[in-house]
């Protein structure tokens, strides 16, 4: 049996696994991914990615390719309830309300793109960055100790190899074999219902006419389910439920039965239907108790099963990967202590629990069974995906400040540590520079107009800690090497004065700030202390 090695082994080659490979490779980490299926998904599955997810993809050069692939879906923003595609419309609303009014919050937009189209884009980018992707390869077993992980892999030809890695990331879905091997417990309401996603081909353009839907809720006397159609109007997915307690099972979904259900959802028996595949899955609200098990880290659906009603599952999983990847990179370089990885659990586990609950609340609201209390507890998508404030983790909270709620309207956040660094458009040499474009590679220190002495502090900290630290001064009139804040928005957005400074992590989360600065001569010491605390050194 042959042996080889890597720094990080990723198990699972779906959206979260591929995203983890891209993010790690972006940070220069040698990574190997194994996926038991021969290629990327053949099933559409997830279809919507909120602006925050698009921001993350932008940092690694994926957003533009994804936007190009999603061009045909630009008009597919309406969520509707219908008797059938050809029947009465019961309700209609924009998928992301206020979607055209978010330009003050983010440069990104909602991406509607089926998972089977996004995964190949991620795969290509991961390979461009040097990731070793092994499809048709199955994890047979693994062991771990203080020095790393040893995994036994089986290839498509049946041969087995041993791969040694420093860390293993379990991104192998809701039925995660890695999680089960760890005997990791899960908490939550459990399985709420069982479903089958039916991928089909049908020329239903004439039935749709000029209408384009992102998601269609269908209800008539023959079928109740959710239908999603593609931009060619020749392929779609119908999601229907079944109840084992009533004697229903997967065997009931023959090609003939599936075709009947699809025809009923379309509302016409004159449209030929071809069944492409069936994908069974459970709607569940379950969250793994511990995201970190020694040298094994759990992400995506393996960490949290989120009811898909709000479309939060894939978005939350990709955000897990973004949070985890820079931390693994810094630990593997020796720039951070291993305890930094514990903050992955501290930060993402509460988010997973909250988002799973939001998915359930959305389900209750859309099924019209929500109580007044549940309706009040249901938050909008921008708050859920962009307004998060980590309760604890790799950042330094401010003394005397009341803790923020886990999520807020992102427009109310002002650069507090543990929150997403705000989006502000600045200028350099009269060309626009978005603050978000400054983040994604390493730590960044931003200082106010009179905070030029922070440049020396940044140099001192970088030298003492053996790390890269970018510095930018932001001034109303620019000048020198400063970024110009022509609209005068930056200081208020980031909650600092003209001599203050803000430290931003590689994932765009504020790590530390000082509103009015510290005495000249003490800045280097203060910044080094902050970085040591954040990096668990």
């Amino acid at each position: 049996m042959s042996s080889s090695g890597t720094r990080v082994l990723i198990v699972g080659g779906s959206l979260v696994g591929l995203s983890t490979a891209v993010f790690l490779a972006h940070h220069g980490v040698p990574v190997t991914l194994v996926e038991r299926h021969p290629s990327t998904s053949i099933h559409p599955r997830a279809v919507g990615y909120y602006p925050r997810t698009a921001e993350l993809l932008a940092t690694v050069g994926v957003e533009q390719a994804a936007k190009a692939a999603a061009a045909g879906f630009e008009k597919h923003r309406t969520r509707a309830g219908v008797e059938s595609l050809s029947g009465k419309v019961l309700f209609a609303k924009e998928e992301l309300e206020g979607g055209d009014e978010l330009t003050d919050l983010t440069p990104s937009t909602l991406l509607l793109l089926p998972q089977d189209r996004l995964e190949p884009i991620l795969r290509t980018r991961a390979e461009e960055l040097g990731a070793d992707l092994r499809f048709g390869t199955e994890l047979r077993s693994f062991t771990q100790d203080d020095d790393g992980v040893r995994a036994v892999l089986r290839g498509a030809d049946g041969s087995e190899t041993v791969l040694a890695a420093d860390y293993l990331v379990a991104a192998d879905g809701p039925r995660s074999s890695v999680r089960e091997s760890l005997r990791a417990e899960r908490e939550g309401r459990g399985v709420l219902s069982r479903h089958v996603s039916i991928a089909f081909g049908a020329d239903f353009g004439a039935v749709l006419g000029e209408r384009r839907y992102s998601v269609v809720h269908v209800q008539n006397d023959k079928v109740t389910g959710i239908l999603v159609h593609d931009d060619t109007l020749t392929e779609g997915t119908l999601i229907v439920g079944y109840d084992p307690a009533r004697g229903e099972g997967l065997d009931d979904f023959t090609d003939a039965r599936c075709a009947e259900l699809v025809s009923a959802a379309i509302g016409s028996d004159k449209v030929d239907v071809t069944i492409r595949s069936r994908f069974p899955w459970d709607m569940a609200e379950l969250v793994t108790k511990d995201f970190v098990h020694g040298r094994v880290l759990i992400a995506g659906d393996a960490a949290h099963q989120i009811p898909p009603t709000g479309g939060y599952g894939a978005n939350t999983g990709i955000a897990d990967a973004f949070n985890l990847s820079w931390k693994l990179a810094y630990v593997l370089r020796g720039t951070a202590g291993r305890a930094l990885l514990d903050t992955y659990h501290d930060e993402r586990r509460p988010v997973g629990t909250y988002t799973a609950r939001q998915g359930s609340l959305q389900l209750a609201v859309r099924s019209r069974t929500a109580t007044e209390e549940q309706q009040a507890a249901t938050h909008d998508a921008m708050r859920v995906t962009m307004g998060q404030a980590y309760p604890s983790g790799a950042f330094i909270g401010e003394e005397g400040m009341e803790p923020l709620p886990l999520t807020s309207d992102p427009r109310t956040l002002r650069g507090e540590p543990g929150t997403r660094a705000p989006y502000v458009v600045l200028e350099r040499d009269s060309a626009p520079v978005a603050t978000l474009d400054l983040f994604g590679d390493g730590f960044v220190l931003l200082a106010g107009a009179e905070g030029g002495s922070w440049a020396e502090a940044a140099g001192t900290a970088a030298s003492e800690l053996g790390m890269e630290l970018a510095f930018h001064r932001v001034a109303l009139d620019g000048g020198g090497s400063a970024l110009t804040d022509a609209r005068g928005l930056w200081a208020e957005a980031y909650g600092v004065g003209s001599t203050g400074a803000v430290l931003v992590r590689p994932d765009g989360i504020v790590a530390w700030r000082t509103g009015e600065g510290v005495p000249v001569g003490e800045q280097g010491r203060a910044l080094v202390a902050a970085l040591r605390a954040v990096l668990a050194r």
Side-chain angles (χ1 to χ4, degrees):
M1 187 180 296
S2 61
S3 300
S4 59
T6 189
R7 300 308 302 270
V8 178
L9 169 63
I10 301 168
V11 180
S14 193
L15 277 180
V16 176
L18 287 168
S19 296
T20 307
V22 171
F23 297 145
L24 282 169
H26 171 76
H27 286 296
V29 176
V31 56
T32 298
L33 177 150
V34 296
E35 165 57 52
R36 63 187 180 87
H37 290 103
S39 189
T40 53
S41 177
I42 61 172
H43 204 284
R45 296 168 67 183
V47 296
Y49 311 94
Y50 289 108
R52 178 55 179 163
T53 303
E55 289 177 3
L56 308 187
L57 297 179
T59 66
V60 291
V62 170
E63 184 189 28
Q64 290 305 313
K67 286 178 68 174
F73 293 87
E74 288 181 354
K75 296 181 180 180
H76 294 215
R77 287 177 52 176
T78 305
R79 177 183 290 273
V82 302
E83 290 181 349
S84 68
L85 288 187
S86 62
K88 182 180 178 181
V89 176
L90 306 175
F91 72 86
K93 60 181 290 188
E94 288 297 289
E95 180 68 19
L96 185 59
E97 292 182 311
D100 295 328
E101 302 170 4
L102 301 175
T103 54
D104 62 323
L105 276 176
T106 175
S108 297
T109 58
L110 177 72
L111 278 174
L112 290 175
L113 187 65
Q115 182 170 335
D116 59 341
R117 293 201 201 176
L118 180 56
E119 284 188 7
I121 296 172
L122 291 168
R123 177 178 183 173
T124 296
R125 185 58 178 151
E127 291 172 338
E128 288 173 349
L129 293 170
D132 176 12
L133 308 183
R134 304 183 188 180
F135 286 84
T137 301
E138 181 182 6
L139 173 72
R140 297 294 295 164
S141 64
F142 71 91
T143 58
Q144 64 167 315
D145 56 29
D146 289 341
D147 296 322
V149 176
R150 287 177 61 83
V152 178
L153 310 177
R154 175 179 290 175
D157 61 358
S159 62
E160 293 190 348
T161 61
V162 174
L163 183 73
D166 293 280
Y167 292 94
L168 185 155
V169 176
D172 52 342
R175 297 181 177 87
S176 171
S177 63
V178 175
R179 185 191 64 231
E180 294 304 308
S181 294
L182 295 167
R183 297 182 180 178
E185 296 182 27
R186 293 195 289 174
E187 298 176 325
R189 296 171 63 205
V191 175
L192 307 178
S193 53
R194 302 189 186 279
H195 299 264
V196 175
S197 292
I198 305 165
F200 65 89
D203 186 0
F204 46 82
V207 173
L208 275 175
E210 295 300 315
R211 295 168 298 163
R212 299 292 182 270
Y213 297 120
S214 61
V215 178
V216 186
H217 299 259
V218 179
Q219 185 168 7
N220 57 52
D221 59 358
K222 294 182 179 179
V223 63
T224 296
I226 295 175
L227 189 149
V228 179
H229 66 81
D230 77 341
D231 53 347
T232 70
L233 310 187
T234 61
E235 294 185 356
T237 302
L238 177 65
I239 302 171
V240 294
Y242 68 96
D243 187 356
R246 295 203 300 255
E248 300 169 348
L250 293 176
D251 291 341
D252 297 332
F253 293 92
T254 62
D255 281 0
R257 175 58 177 153
C258 289
E260 289 177 3
L261 294 171
V262 171
S263 293
I266 294 173
S268 172
D269 55 8
K270 296 180 181 180
V271 177
D272 291 333
V273 174
T274 301
I275 302 303
R276 294 173 51 211
S277 65
R278 286 168 292 275
F279 181 79
W281 56 277
D282 296 339
M283 182 182 291
E285 183 186 333
L286 285 167
V287 182
T288 304
K289 289 180 66 173
D290 296 299
F291 284 17
V292 178
H293 289 256
R295 288 181 173 266
V296 179
L297 307 115
I298 306 175
D301 287 350
H304 38 66
Q305 273 186 265
I306 300 172
T309 328
Y312 298 133
N315 290 272
T316 306
I318 292 172
D320 290 344
F322 201 68
N323 181 291
L324 175 59
S325 295
W326 78 267
K327 293 175 180 177
L328 275 169
Y330 274 67
V331 170
L332 289 169
R333 290 177 198 155
T335 307
R338 274 188 61 177
L340 176 63
L341 294 177
D342 294 332
T343 70
Y344 166 65
H345 168 89
D346 298 337
E347 294 177 354
R348 297 306 302 172
R349 210 275 178 174
V351 169
T353 301
Y354 162 82
T355 310
R357 182 57 182 154
Q358 285 297 310
S360 287
L361 289 170
Q362 288 276 4
L363 177 63
V365 169
R366 291 179 184 175
S367 64
R368 301 180 184 180
T369 62
T371 64
E372 289 186 7
E373 182 181 5
Q374 288 175 320
Q375 291 178 18
T378 305
H379 299 149
D380 67 78
M382 293 302 287
R383 174 170 177 168
V384 173
T385 59
M386 192 175 283
Q388 299 163 2
Y390 293 139
S392 64
F395 61 90
I396 301 173
E398 297 174 312
E399 293 184 10
M401 296 291 290
E402 287 292 322
L404 291 170
L406 184 61
T407 61
S408 307
D409 179 345
R411 288 188 172 88
T412 67
L413 299 176
R414 292 292 181 269
E416 294 89 348
T419 68
R420 165 185 171 269
Y423 166 64
V424 178
V425 178
L426 308 172
E427 294 180 4
R428 177 182 285 122
D429 299 328
S430 300
V433 177
T435 50
L436 300 187
D437 291 338
L438 303 174
F439 315 137
D441 294 330
F443 279 82
V444 176
L445 185 69
L446 302 172
E450 299 177 56
S453 55
W454 282 103
E456 182 179 349
T460 297
S463 177
E464 182 170 333
L465 298 176
M467 60 181 288
E468 294 185 1
L469 176 59
F471 172 78
H472 301 280
R473 184 171 66 89
V474 182
L476 289 173
D477 57 358
S481 59
L483 293 168
T484 303
D485 181 20
R487 296 186 295 165
L489 300 176
W490 181 81
E492 180 181 358
Y494 279 74
V496 296
S498 61
T499 60
V502 181
L503 180 67
V504 181
R505 301 182 340 191
D507 59 351
I509 300 297
V510 176
W512 171 78
R513 71 176 178 181
T514 174
E516 290 296 339
V518 297
V520 175
E522 298 296 319
Q523 293 167 321
R525 185 180 304 173
L527 184 56
V528 167
L531 281 164
R532 285 190 179 279
V534 170
L535 294 172
R537 292 183 57 169

